[in-house]
Amino acid sequence: MSIFDALGDPARRKILSLLGNGELPAGALVAALRMPQPNVSKHLKVLREAGLVRVRGDAQRRLYSLDTAPLRELDAWLSPYRRFWAGKLDALGDHLSRSD
Amino acid sequence: MSIFDALGDPARRKILSLLGNGELPAGALVAALRMPQPNVSKHLKVLREAGLVRVRGDAQRRLYSLDTAPLRELDAWLSPYRRFWAGKLDALGDHLSRSD
DNA sequence: CCCTAATATTCCAAAATTGGAATATTAGGG
DNA sequence: CCCTAATATTCCAATTTTGGAATATTAGGG
């Protein structure tokens, strides 16, 4: 699954966003996403396979953290297109304040 | 379909890349992609619906061009993550950071 | 009008994705 | 050992996506 596919699901984007603030146990993600635990676990698996998150054990818990390497690749993929808006810093607001 | 989903298919990413060099008729994309025409037409529909391409008629032909607005959104989505590699001089980085 | 070129749409089966429910695994604690 | 908490995996039905083939549409040209 490519990074684009991995990012295709809103729940997965939310997970990345949450991990942006630092390492979290799977349970914290389950609580934040308000979604059945097995479901979150499956999304985490997709993210792992895409290389977007790392995991380490801490007793029974599994602590997830962001691996930004694929995001850097995405950034690179975007590069050739940036010339279309580079310098055009007009007011096209931060569309980005959505919840995903 | 979100922009992430629209970008999920390699053929669609190739189309965007081709259109990066300027407007092209659908037929040119069919030739470049080496894929059955109806298939390309369907990918173009997905791209249209995601707002990634514009189309205008020229007699029987349809000329496609890039609409970069959704790519700018993607760029914005990426923003909060850039701090993880900002300053870390990656080999890919400054491709086009010229100051003229 | 009819013909042709260019492109889009529909129909269909195959493959992949997703969610829900049940179950399995893993790692301490008593 | 057994128990419990935390997390992962499996199984299944529903939905979505994809490709191939056939067909439809659109817009001139003769």
Side-chain angles (χ1 to χ4, degrees):
Chain A
M1 184 174 297
S2 82
I3 183 181
F4 295 100
D5 296 311
L7 295 177
D9 189 286
R12 291 195 289 264
R13 292 196 294 277
K14 176 132 193 184
I15 289 173
L16 295 184
S17 168
L18 290 164
L19 293 180
N21 302 318
E23 195 175 53
L24 285 175
L29 298 170
V30 170
L33 290 174
R34 259 98 133 286
M35 176 182 296
Q37 177 270 322
N39 219 323
V40 173
S41 191
K42 280 182 282 187
H43 283 306
L44 286 170
K45 183 179 194 175
V46 173
L47 290 172
R48 259 184 277 129
E49 286 171 354
L52 280 158
V53 302
R54 281 193 235 87
V55 65
R56 72 187 177 94
D58 171 47
Q60 308 102 321
R61 299 189 308 167
R62 317 213 61 198
L63 300 181
Y64 279 89
S65 56
L66 207 53
D67 188 336
T68 59
L71 295 178
R72 285 199 295 272
E73 283 182 45
L74 177 57
D75 201 42
W77 179 86
L78 218 35
S79 282
Y81 298 103
R82 282 211 186 85
R83 64 186 177 92
F84 291 109
W85 64 88
K88 291 176 190 166
L89 295 189
D90 57 74
L92 68 92
D94 44 346
H95 239 281
L96 156 86
S97 19
R98 288 166 313 179
S99 56
D100 51 303
Chain B
M1 185 176 293
S2 83
I3 183 180
F4 295 100
D5 296 311
L7 294 177
D9 190 285
R12 292 196 287 266
R13 292 197 295 276
K14 176 132 193 183
I15 289 173
L16 295 184
S17 168
L18 291 164
L19 293 180
N21 302 319
E23 194 175 53
L24 285 175
L29 297 170
V30 170
L33 290 175
R34 259 98 129 280
M35 176 183 295
Q37 176 270 322
N39 219 322
V40 173
S41 192
K42 280 182 282 189
H43 283 306
L44 285 169
K45 183 180 194 174
V46 173
L47 291 172
R48 258 184 276 129
E49 286 170 354
L52 281 159
V53 302
R54 280 193 234 87
V55 64
R56 71 186 177 94
D58 171 47
Q60 308 103 318
R61 300 189 308 166
R62 317 213 61 197
L63 300 182
Y64 280 89
S65 56
L66 207 53
D67 187 335
T68 60
L71 294 178
R72 285 199 295 272
E73 283 184 44
L74 177 56
D75 201 43
W77 179 86
L78 217 36
S79 283
Y81 298 103
R82 283 211 185 84
R83 66 188 176 90
F84 291 110
W85 63 89
K88 289 179 189 167
L89 252 296
D90 193 294
L92 297 156
D94 46 321
H95 213 78
L96 28 101
S97 42
R98 235 172 289 142
S99 55
D100 55 358

